[in-house]
Amino acid sequence: MVARVIPVDPFDLVIFGATGDLARRKILPGLYRRFYDGQMPESARIIGAARSNMDDAEFRTFVEDAVREFVSKRKCEAKALDAFLECLSYVPVDALGTGGWKELAAKVRPDVVQAFYFSVGPSLFGDLANRLHKHKIAGPDARIVVEKPFGHNLDTARDLNATLAKHFNEDQIYRIDHYLGKETVQNLMAVRFGNMLFEPLWNAQYVDHIQITVAETVGVDGRGAYYDKSGAMRDMVQNHLMQLLCLTAMEPPSKFDPDAVRDEKLKVIRALDPVHPDDIVRGQYKAGDDSASYLEDAENPDSLTESFIAMRVHIANWRWNGTDFYLRTGKKMKARMSEIVVRFKEPPHSIFESDTGQSANELSIRLQPNEGMDLRVTIKEPGPGGMRLIDVPLDMTFAEALGEEVADVPDAYERLIMDVIRGNQTLFMRGDEVEAAWAWTDPIIDSWTRREDRPHPYDPGSTGPEDALILLHRDGRRWRDLRK
């Protein structure tokens, strides 16, 4: 199977923060892969902009090193890499001053698609937007890409949206959440709305509960000071898990159109009930044999910030009334895994004897690692001895089902950047969507802040605090196992 590659129009992409870690690991290697696969025209320009004082040649060396580190050797052909590097240039720019802006204005072409990637801290978003306008660099159809966090709470999110709106219309602002660019996340919509098999059953009548897990094995070392001001709720639940929840629970949009999709996602967020404190478990990882504790990584021995959170939420609408959604995310856990699990109800009446076993269908959507899906169905256990029921998976791991070509499926960032160039906002968050998510999140955070709740300690390499297991056990359920 060969993926169909659709070229994009000529463009100028300015990457602010082009020498930063995100640009080095994701953005620049991703752009090279799109160039290698023929999706990026040779007339495209990628302009690096940052505080570092380097020239074009030094920037090209920096990019070449990044490509060789993060792109497979098979694609690092000298001819293709040299041609890609010819598309690059660099301008030292002072985001808070005047330096470099006239030089940048001279480089950006007015007659091609213009995109400006803000790969910088959110405190600089407003300054960059103002200077792009002041120096008349961004044309009337220019697009800006902004990274999370989109504010720290509802007030700051509103302020940020208002700042960007001074110079850019909503259809020019691309709030990027790389989870929405993952192949399996988009396949979730294909499975739901492209198959008659699932959508009639995708409701409270047939679904027992849904689990959404984003687990990481790493801690916060190296970014403890930042993380201690956010925590798992702000860093993961308010954006990544919220987006997965919306795509899982939303109504079918009228068409696969940016605003139609985002309208349905917004309805889910606005239908979320407030969460009772008893339905929330927060945790902090302890020290391991050869690793520091969260308190040590954060350099704050009195920190009440969570590195783990699990919660039960409800959606107050016709489709999901009475269905439990369980969200879980944490650092230093047993395995790195992102997964959505839809557990269907057991048959209302079993025609088999009680000793044959009880079972229920389960659809698992794996986002990482080993992207794919499996559907557990009940069959008779092979062999003599009467009727015995067991669950077996109908497994579709992309790497196995689609062969070697799956390795060429674009990374989330490269797909999303190409969507920016195309002007397709389907997989990006809208301003009112961001504000609605904060409007639901803020009271939850305020509640435990007022009570000065201390997170539960948990062992690194575990599945989180014991209380997170109890959260499901009291409902007669269990978390899906974290598999290495």
Side-chain angles (χ1 to χ4, degrees), residues 237 241-242 245-246 249 265-275 312-317 325 327 436-437 439-441 444:
V237 175
L241 272 73
M242 179 70 73
L245 173 64
C246 288
K265 288 163 58 185
L266 180 61
K267 291 176 186 177
V268 173
I269 300 173
R270 289 178 172 169
L272 286 170
D273 279 336
V275 182
R312 181 175 64 176
V313 304
H314 295 110
I315 300 172
N317 65 15
F325 287 76
L327 311 181
W440 177 77
T441 302
I444 298 172

Side-chain angles (χ1 to χ4, degrees), residues 219-481:
V220 300
D221 31 327
R223 55 194 292 261
Y226 157 76
Y227 192 90
D228 203 46
K229 296 177 182 178
S230 58
M233 187 68 176
R234 287 189 173 98
D235 188 54
M236 295 296 291
V237 175
Q238 185 273 337
N239 40 72
H240 295 329
L241 272 73
M242 179 70 73
Q243 290 300 307
L244 299 181
L245 173 64
C246 288
L247 291 175
T248 304
M250 72 182 190
E251 295 295 322
S254 59
K255 54 186 174 179
F256 193 62
D257 166 86
D259 278 333
V261 171
R262 295 186 295 180
D263 285 346
E264 297 304 333
K265 288 163 58 185
L266 180 61
K267 291 176 186 177
V268 173
I269 300 173
R270 289 178 172 169
L272 286 170
D273 279 336
V275 182
H276 192 276
D278 290 344
D279 289 335
I280 302 172
V281 176
R282 299 164 65 237
Q284 283 180 349
Y285 60 81
K286 300 188 293 187
D289 293 337
D290 55 356
S291 62
S293 68
Y294 173 82
L295 297 177
E296 293 169 319
D297 283 339
E299 298 181 349
N300 181 3
D302 300 317
S303 175
L304 298 179
T305 301
E306 73 285 352
S307 62
F308 171 97
I309 188 167
M311 55 199 313
R312 181 175 64 176
V313 304
H314 295 110
I315 300 172
N317 65 15
W318 190 289
R319 180 182 291 261
W320 295 115
N321 185 47
T323 302
D324 293 324
F325 287 76
Y326 298 96
L327 311 181
R328 172 178 61 162
T329 185
K331 302 283 189 182
K332 285 280 185 82
M333 298 185 71
K334 176 182 176 182
R336 173 178 173 264
M337 188 181 80
S338 298
E339 187 175 56
I340 301 167
V341 177
V342 181
R343 179 81 173 182
F344 293 92
K345 292 181 178 179
E346 296 181 359
H349 170 71
S350 176
I351 66 172
F352 305 108
E353 299 293 334
S354 59
D355 60 357
T356 60
Q358 288 289 328
S359 56
N361 303 124
E362 188 175 86
L363 176 66
S364 171
I365 302 153
R366 299 187 304 277
L367 310 181
Q368 63 183 19
N370 303 322
E371 288 188 345
M373 304 182 188
D374 71 64
L375 174 65
R376 301 193 71 83
V377 298
T378 302
I379 67 167
K380 174 190 176 295
E381 185 176 18
M387 179 69 71
R388 296 187 304 276
L389 303 181
I390 60 170
D391 288 343
V392 296
L394 299 176
D395 193 341
M396 193 195 81
T397 300
F398 288 171
E400 297 174 0
L402 303 180
E404 293 182 0
E405 291 297 333
V406 75
D408 291 329
V409 171
D411 174 77
Y413 273 99
E414 54 194 275
R415 172 184 287 106
L416 292 172
I417 292 173
M418 290 299 102
D419 277 355
V420 173
I421 304 304
R422 293 190 191 96
N424 185 347
Q425 290 188 309
T426 304
L427 299 175
F428 296 84
M429 285 181 282
R430 206 167 56 192
D432 54 358
E433 190 180 344
V434 172
E435 292 182 17
W438 279 120
W440 177 77
T441 302
D442 278 358
I444 298 172
I445 297 175
D446 291 344
S447 177
W448 72 55
T449 301
R450 287 195 307 270
R451 296 192 307 270
E452 297 185 342
D453 287 352
R454 181 166 292 279
H456 301 275
Y458 64 93
D459 293 322
S462 68
T463 58
E466 186 72 21
D467 286 58
L469 303 179
I470 297 173
L471 181 65
L472 267 73
H473 286 176
R474 72 189 189 197
D475 296 330
R477 298 167 178 146
R478 298 180 61 182
W479 287 108
R480 171 94 159 196
D481 186 37

